[in-house]
């Protein structure tokens, strides 16, 4: 039994902020509080164990295990939770396994620890958090083409805190995929659980249970022979397994039926093949790469379409925005990241102290990031945007006003009509799939309530380095921009004519390892009339 859910017992000072939150999995920054709470819960549990040592020996052993894990985790909370397996296991511990402990301890409700744990469990992560963390692992597995064994042994690029997965972890992941009728991932993780059992790992999950899920998931994918072989293996372990006995007969019947059907079709197919070989072959048409595939390729660092000739036209420079007084003596470092659309990066544009201040202001207010429904215009959460965000206004802290002024001085654009500074922290496998920042022609009311026109430009601060993953990619043009702490990237969403630049469709890749913090400023059309005059050419 793994008990990963200690997080809220003794940190009473954290409860006001945590109790109103949900969806912990969507923000690594907020999940760090769970580690500290878990550590204190272990301390409380050990006090209880000292009083009931003889009766609760099993719990004492578990507490020692979690205490060791917590000690390691709290040395570098964000780095520890940056490993997606650690984050998944934390959700699993807090949502499932501490409940198992509660059932054990309720044999004696007189102890203060039991009543305290029962009370605080209402602040623990939910089934939604555990499922969200599990789905994030599956998403990372697909995007970065990781096999189950690589994830299970914790061998991910850039990791500091390796965390192997147990048979129970693999089984739980496969079961969540099964509940979603995702038989592909069910097979991968049940096969991994079986592999670890075959290697001798001790587990309360037995091979019969795993084989039952595995054989059915393989059958659902149309592989009857493999499903039959696994069912026979299951029956060799438990000859009285009623479902397996029925499945064996059914699979054998279906295979025989398929064999007869194949034999009757063979002759007809041979005749068709002889006829078709006489026809001249048409030249194959090369289909464009689908957006989803291009997005995932770019996230892996593949498929970037920058030619050497175009690369040679990209430069680095010291930039003062036409002799702006602020940067006349100390110009900023500007680097061309891409030519079409034109994307620039500004280096050393945000200091470490400013970054920490922004995070400090934003963290208590982080809420699940939303998107605007293109039909209703209502803000709502979406599975393709996994992060939490907060909005910081200039009047809240002088530093925010200072940052807004810095963006205005560098871009030359009016900030009074821009949206407030949005701060985002990405959770387990955090991502934002391909989208436009500007409102399209079929969304005439996208920003109507703001009264400031369309989003003319985007300014994006990177407030953390990311060990692996987390790139900003532009699938239509094959561009990828990688996070670098203290830098910012800038691009125009609209041409000078006011028409949308559809090549700016972009995405935030899933964070594979690490903790990604960004903040952005969406700059609107109003107020830019003299700063960025209109152009008669639609695409200039």
């Amino acid at each position: 039994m793994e008990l990963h859910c200690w997080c809220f017992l003794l940190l009473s000072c954290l409860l006001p902020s945590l109790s109103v939150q949900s969806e912990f999995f969507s923000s690594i920054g907020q999940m760090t509080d769970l580690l500290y709470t878990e550590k204190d819960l272990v301390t409380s549990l050990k006090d209880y164990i000292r009083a009931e040592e003889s009766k609760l020996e099993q719990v004492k052993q578990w507490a020692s295990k979690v205490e060791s894990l917590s000690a390691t985790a709290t040395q570098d909370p964000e780095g520890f939770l940056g490993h997606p397996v650690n984050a998944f296991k934390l959700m699993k511990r807090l949502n499932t396994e501490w409940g198992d402990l509660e059932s054990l301890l309720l044999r004696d409700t007189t102890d203060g620890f039991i009543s305290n744990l029962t009370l605080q469990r209402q602040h623990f992560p939910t089934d939604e958090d555990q499922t969200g963390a599990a789905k994030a692992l599956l998403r990372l597995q697909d995007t970065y083409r990781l096999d189950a064994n690589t994830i299970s042994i914790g061998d991910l690029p850039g990791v500091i805190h390796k965390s192997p997965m147990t048979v129970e972890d693999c089984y739980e992941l496969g079961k969540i995929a099964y509940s979603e009728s995702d038989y592909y991932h069910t097979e991968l993780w049940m096969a991994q659980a079986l592999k670890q059992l075959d290697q001798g790992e001790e587990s309360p999950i037995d091979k019969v249970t795993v084989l039952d899920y595995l054989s059915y998931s393989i059958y659902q994918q149309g592989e009857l022979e493999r499903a039959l072989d696994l069912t026979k293996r299951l029956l060799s372990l438990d000859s009285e397994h009623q479902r397996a006995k029925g499945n064996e007969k059914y699979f054998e019947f279906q295979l025989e039926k398929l064999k007869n059907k194949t034999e009757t079709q063979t002759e007809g197919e041979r005749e068709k093949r002889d006829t078709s070989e006489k026809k001249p072959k048409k030249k194959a048409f090369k289909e464009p790469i689908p957006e989803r595939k291009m997005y995932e390729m770019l996230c892996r660092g593949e498929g970037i379409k920058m030619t050497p000739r175009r690369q040679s036209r990209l430069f680095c420079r010291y930039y003062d925005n036409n002799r702006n007084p602020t940067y006349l003596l100390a110009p900023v470092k500007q680097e061309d990241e891409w030519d079409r659309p034109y994307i620039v990066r500004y280096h050393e544009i945000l200091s470490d102290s400013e970054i920490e201040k922004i995070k400090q202001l934003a963290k208590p207010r982080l809420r699940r990031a939303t998107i605007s429904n293109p039909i209703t215009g209502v803000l709502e959460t979406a599975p393709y945007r996994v992060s939490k965000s907060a909005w910081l206004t200039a009047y809240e802290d002088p530093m925010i006003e200072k940052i807004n002024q810095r963006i205005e001085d560098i871009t030359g654009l009016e900030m009074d009509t821009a949206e407030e500074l949005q701060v985002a922290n990405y959770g387990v496998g955090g991502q934002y799939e391909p989208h436009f920042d500007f409102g399209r022609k079929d969304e005439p009311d996208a920003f109507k309530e703001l009264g400031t026109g369309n989003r003319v430009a985007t300014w994006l601060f990177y407030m953390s380095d990311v060990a692996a993953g987390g790139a900003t990619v532009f699938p239509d043009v094959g561009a990828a921009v990688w996070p670098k702490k203290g830098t910012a990237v800038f691009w125009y969403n609209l041409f000078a004519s006011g028409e949308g630049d559809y090549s700016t469709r972009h995405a935030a890749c899933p964070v594979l390892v690490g903790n990604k913090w960004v903040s952005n400023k969406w700059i609107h059309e109003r107020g830019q009339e003299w700063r960025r005059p209109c152009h008669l050419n639609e695409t200039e």
Side-chain angles (χ1 to χ4, degrees):
M1 176 177 68
E2 278 197 67
L3 307 175
H4 293 57
C5 301
W6 290 97
C7 301
F8 290 83
L9 193 57
L10 297 180
L11 294 182
S12 57
C13 61
L14 290 177
L15 290 179
S17 62
L18 291 174
S19 61
V20 297
Q21 299 296 324
S22 60
E23 298 187 357
F24 289 101
F25 78 94
S26 60
S27 170
I28 293 292
Q30 285 192 330
M31 284 171 62
T32 58
D33 294 334
L34 300 180
L35 285 174
Y36 290 109
T37 312
E38 185 174 45
K39 183 179 180 181
D40 282 356
L41 281 166
V42 174
T43 303
S44 178
L45 177 61
K46 291 192 74 176
D47 291 339
Y48 174 74
I49 290 172
R50 279 190 287 269
E52 301 269 354
E53 182 125 22
S54 61
K55 179 182 178 182
L56 302 176
E57 184 61 29
Q58 180 184 357
V59 180
K60 183 179 178 181
Q61 293 174 0
W62 174 250
S64 298
K65 181 179 178 180
V66 179
E67 181 184 36
S68 174
L69 176 63
S70 298
T72 303
T74 52
Q75 291 177 9
D76 180 15
E78 292 194 349
F80 184 83
L81 287 172
H83 193 306
V85 170
N86 289 336
F88 163 69
K89 294 178 76 170
L90 177 62
M91 296 295 98
K92 179 169 169 280
R93 289 198 302 271
L94 290 172
N95 180 53
T96 302
E97 295 167 0
W98 277 101
D100 297 337
L101 175 67
E102 179 184 357
S103 299
L104 176 65
L105 299 183
L106 280 174
R107 296 173 190 171
D108 180 6
T109 58
T110 61
D111 193 277
F113 173 77
I114 299 174
S115 59
N116 200 5
L117 174 60
T118 303
L119 176 65
Q120 301 304 337
R121 282 198 67 225
Q122 62 184 302
H123 305 295
F124 284 1
T126 63
D127 286 341
E128 182 181 4
D129 286 300
Q130 185 172 334
T131 300
K135 288 181 177 179
L137 272 176
L138 302 182
R139 184 166 59 247
L140 291 171
Q141 185 177 14
D142 291 344
T143 302
Y144 296 104
R145 291 184 176 176
L146 302 171
D147 61 76
N149 188 64
T150 297
I151 297 175
S152 181
I153 64 177
D155 191 18
L156 301 178
V159 298
I160 299 174
H161 309 279
K162 282 193 175 183
S163 183
M165 296 178 71
T166 63
V167 169
E168 299 98 292
D169 295 330
C170 297
Y171 172 76
E172 184 66 28
L173 205 52
K175 207 163 70 163
I176 289 173
Y178 180 85
S179 68
E180 300 284 323
S181 300
D182 179 0
Y183 300 113
Y184 169 72
H185 287 109
T186 302
E187 176 193 348
L188 294 180
W189 285 101
M190 290 301 174
Q192 181 62 30
L194 183 62
K195 176 182 177 181
Q196 291 178 208
L197 285 170
D198 287 341
Q199 290 172 346
E201 182 179 324
E202 293 185 4
S203 172
I205 308 295
D206 58 40
K207 292 183 182 180
V208 170
T209 303
V210 174
L211 282 164
D212 196 14
Y213 277 100
L214 182 58
S215 60
Y216 185 75
S217 64
I218 288 174
Y219 158 70
Q220 284 290 344
Q221 296 176 80
E223 298 185 57
L224 283 170
E225 289 188 13
R226 284 184 62 208
L228 178 59
D229 290 342
L230 290 166
T231 302
K232 287 180 177 178
R233 181 179 174 185
L234 190 161
L235 287 169
S236 71
L237 299 172
D238 181 2
S239 59
E240 298 304 314
H241 196 288
Q242 293 302 312
R243 183 166 51 249
K245 289 168 74 174
N247 286 345
E248 181 184 34
K249 291 180 181 178
Y250 178 75
F251 294 158
E252 287 175 340
F253 171 75
Q254 289 295 328
L255 279 170
E256 185 63 29
K257 185 178 177 181
L258 183 64
K259 180 181 178 182
N260 293 335
K261 183 179 179 181
T262 303
E263 288 175 352
T264 58
Q265 290 179 343
T266 301
E267 186 62 33
E269 288 177 355
R270 187 182 297 117
E271 291 176 3
K272 286 182 180 179
R273 190 162 55 248
D274 292 341
T275 305
S276 62
E277 285 175 357
K278 298 175 182 178
K279 295 180 180 179
K281 293 183 179 180
K282 293 183 179 180
K283 187 176 180 181
F285 175 71
K286 188 176 181 181
E287 293 284 346
I289 298 176
E291 182 183 67
R292 179 74 198 185
K293 185 177 180 180
M294 175 56 74
Y295 158 64
E296 293 184 348
M297 288 173 63
L298 290 170
C299 289
R300 296 192 298 269
E302 306 167 5
I304 297 174
K305 296 181 179 179
M306 179 58 68
T307 63
R309 183 175 181 181
R310 288 169 60 195
Q311 182 74 48
S312 68
R313 297 171 183 166
L314 302 181
F315 299 96
C316 296
R317 64 187 67 82
Y318 285 104
Y319 181 75
D320 61 15
N321 191 20
N322 295 321
R323 301 179 66 80
N324 183 289
T326 305
Y327 298 105
L328 192 58
L329 297 179
V332 294
K333 298 175 181 177
Q334 186 190 67
E335 177 187 4
D336 296 336
E337 284 281 356
W338 206 259
D339 52 356
R340 297 187 301 274
Y342 185 49
I343 306 169
V344 293
R345 186 195 294 266
Y346 297 95
H347 291 266
E348 299 172 9
I349 206 68
L350 209 57
S351 68
D352 287 349
S353 61
E354 289 174 325
I355 289 172
E356 290 308 310
K357 182 65 174 179
I358 292 173
K359 289 164 68 174
Q360 178 187 340
L361 292 171
K363 194 171 181 181
R365 286 183 270 174
L366 289 173
R367 299 292 185 275
R368 178 69 185 268
T370 57
I371 56 97
S372 176
N373 186 302
I375 298 174
T376 65
V378 176
L379 293 176
E380 58 189 21
T381 61
Y384 57 82
R385 188 180 190 184
V386 182
S387 65
K388 284 189 175 180
S389 61
W391 298 86
L392 302 182
T393 58
Y395 61 78
E396 293 180 68
D397 192 281
M399 190 197 67
I400 303 300
E401 174 61 32
K402 183 180 176 182
I403 289 172
N404 289 342
Q405 186 61 52
R406 187 178 305 162
I407 298 172
E408 179 169 333
D409 290 338
I410 293 174
T411 63
L413 298 175
E414 176 63 62
M415 290 296 111
D416 287 347
T417 57
E419 295 176 48
E420 305 297 351
L421 186 69
Q422 180 182 219
V423 182
N425 178 225
Y426 290 80
V428 190
Q431 64 165 6
Y432 190 0
E433 292 184 4
H435 62 281
F436 297 103
D437 281 351
F438 64 92
R440 273 79 66 211
K441 289 182 178 180
D442 58 349
E443 303 172 308
D445 298 330
F447 308 109
K448 185 177 180 180
E449 71 280 2
L450 298 178
T452 53
N454 212 340
R455 289 172 175 168
V456 69
T458 295
W459 178 282
L460 177 64
F461 286 114
Y462 291 115
M463 302 197 302
S464 65
D465 293 314
V466 179
T472 305
V473 300
F474 296 73
D476 287 356
V477 297
V481 180
W482 301 93
K484 184 178 180 182
K485 186 177 181 180
T487 69
V489 292
F490 173 78
W491 67 85
Y492 280 104
N493 297 306
L494 306 180
F495 294 111
S497 64
E499 293 295 321
D501 184 353
Y502 284 78
S503 68
T504 60
R505 183 171 172 83
H506 59 286
C509 294
V511 178
L512 178 57
V513 178
N515 187 13
K516 183 180 177 182
W517 284 88
V518 299
S519 56
N520 68 277
K521 196 80 173 170
W522 280 311
I523 305 167
H524 284 250
E525 290 177 292
R526 299 294 178 263
Q528 319 305 342
E529 291 82 359
W530 302 107
R531 297 178 181 237
R532 194 193 187 215
C534 290
H535 200 286
L536 295 179
N537 191 316
E538 188 174 302
T539 58
E540 288 186 9

